[in-house]
Amino acid sequence: GRVLARGAALETALTQAITTTRLALAAELAGIGARALEITVDYTANRVQFGKTIASFQAIQHRLVDMWAEAEFACSACLNAATAPEGEVAQAVLAAKARAGDSATAITRKAIQLHGAMGFTDQCDIGLYLKRAIALNATLGQPEELRLAFLSAERAA
């Protein structure tokens, strides 16, 4: 029953809470992408087709490298946001959440494709990673919405 803040103090506290939560979501999304990549690398290294592991096929290697790059960019964006100077934190967090959200959904979708039909079954956890990535991606702003907010803040500065 006690009021904790009003006016500008309330707005500042709420903005800080949303920024901190977005950073946490971005970090989790980056982790989801990185872990989905690890699972997929392990799967492709063990899955045999035509007498060879599918990881030995150049097309699969290209997809894995693309997934790796996405994961690295997402982790770098999160690190940048976590270590940004005080006046740049809000924009860095917007960029990190947008990058990590896009990255996690792209990586998990590619991972399911590389797992084949097995990726959709209950025997394989990779489908759960995609569902979690989609849910977190929608929380506190979709990537496109966050990019527009980033551009608005950039123009205002």
Side-chain angles (χ1 to χ4, degrees):
R2 201 175 91 204
V3 176
L4 298 176
R6 292 179 198 262
L10 174 63
E11 190 172 324
T12 300
L14 187 57
T15 300
Q16 287 177 344
I18 290 172
T19 299
T20 303
T21 305
R22 279 185 177 146
L23 180 57
L25 290 170
E28 185 173 352
L29 284 162
I32 286 170
R35 182 64 183 134
L37 174 61
E38 289 175 9
I39 291 169
T40 306
V41 167
D42 185 51
Y43 177 78
T44 58
N46 293 313
R47 176 77 167 109
V48 176
Q49 280 288 313
F50 308 110
K52 298 163 81 174
T53 63
I54 63 172
S56 67
F57 300 131
Q58 190 174 22
I60 301 297
Q61 292 171 358
H62 284 271
R63 289 185 184 173
L64 291 173
V65 168
D66 289 343
M67 292 165 67
W68 173 83
E70 286 281 342
E72 288 297 311
F73 287 139
C75 290
S76 294
C78 289
L79 180 61
N80 181 54
T83 60
E86 191 164 329
E88 300 172 16
V89 171
Q91 280 187 274
V93 168
L94 290 172
K97 170 82 169 52
R99 167 65 79 172
D102 280 344
S103 176
T105 54
I107 290 169
T108 53
R109 284 185 173 133
K110 290 174 186 173
I112 285 178
Q113 187 178 28
L114 291 174
H115 278 77
M118 185 173 174
F120 289 105
T121 66
D122 290 338
Q123 297 172 353
C124 189
D125 289 341
I126 203 69
L128 300 175
Y129 282 81
L130 174 62
K131 290 176 187 175
R132 182 72 175 165
I134 290 170
L136 292 179
N137 198 20
T139 306
L140 292 178
Q142 293 280 2
E144 188 61 30
E145 179 184 332
L146 297 175
R147 285 186 187 93
L148 291 173
F150 178 91
L151 287 174
S152 293
E154 185 81 11
R155 288 183 184 130

